[in-house]
Amino acid sequence: MLCMLACGGLFFPGLYCGLRRLLRASCPHWDQADVVAVSERLVSSIHASLATVCGLVVVSSIRDVMTDRHWLVNSFVVFGAPYMAFDLFAMYLTHYHQQKRLSIPDQKHSLRTVKAFLSRERLLVLHHLALLLVFMPIVLFFRRGLGDFFVACFWMTEFSTPFVSLGKVLIQLGLENSHLHWINGVMVLASFFTCRILLFPYMYWMYGRQFLVPLHRVPFHLPLHCNLGNLSILSPQVYWFGLLVKKARRLYLRKGKPHGPKTE
């Protein structure tokens, strides 16, 4: 376990630093804000891809959703834990350099800049802290070896992350009006809705299928804390999906507006 923790602690920060150097050398016209933002999003996409693949491997190999075990579950949880802590730092650096470019060029790191970051990204920060301080201890110490299938399902929610990151990079490159950005936007909505919202009824359906319980009765067969835990995870996903739909609608309406001069 300590070996996996050390590997994760070296892999993600090392990957981030390597990408920053690579981008600085290959894109000399980019400023520091561009470099750190793209580096953070690339590392996030790589972590999400690893989580998705691990989730698919575990889900496809399990028959009993409650008792079957897979070695990847605890191993990847420990390996990915340093990423959650490091990504908070990487997100702060992105926020800091972007604000520095927009407002105060000679701004220094301070308690004020940290507070501004926490205020702006409070939901994402809470999400990372919950995964690190709540989800990880539950998976490793308190579930008594049960539910590897459901842990793997939660990993598959990361499938939408690379598309979200790509959308931000395309905007940063000035390609927000390109066909690629439009196609990626469709993939963001489809992957987010499928893997972050429909995943929850899928997990309930799989449980009900194994124990011969109708889907609408499954919540009543589960402990209250399981339903509350799922609801606490699902709620921000629904909120974020709503924001994505609103953004997509604004982009669609803006693209559909005529750009020529008005005529009477």
Side-chain angles (χ1 to χ4, degrees), residues 205-218:
W205 175 75
M206 287 293 292
Y207 178 92
R209 189 181 73 163
Q210 178 169 319
F211 295 101
L212 303 178
V213 179
L215 178 60
H216 68 281
R217 298 293 304 172
V218 170

Side-chain angles (χ1 to χ4, degrees), residues 167-183:
K168 293 178 179 178
V169 172
L170 290 174
I171 292 174
Q172 190 168 332
L173 295 174
L175 299 174
E176 61 269 24
N177 294 319
S178 66
H179 290 295
L180 179 58
H181 186 259
W182 186 87
I183 294 171

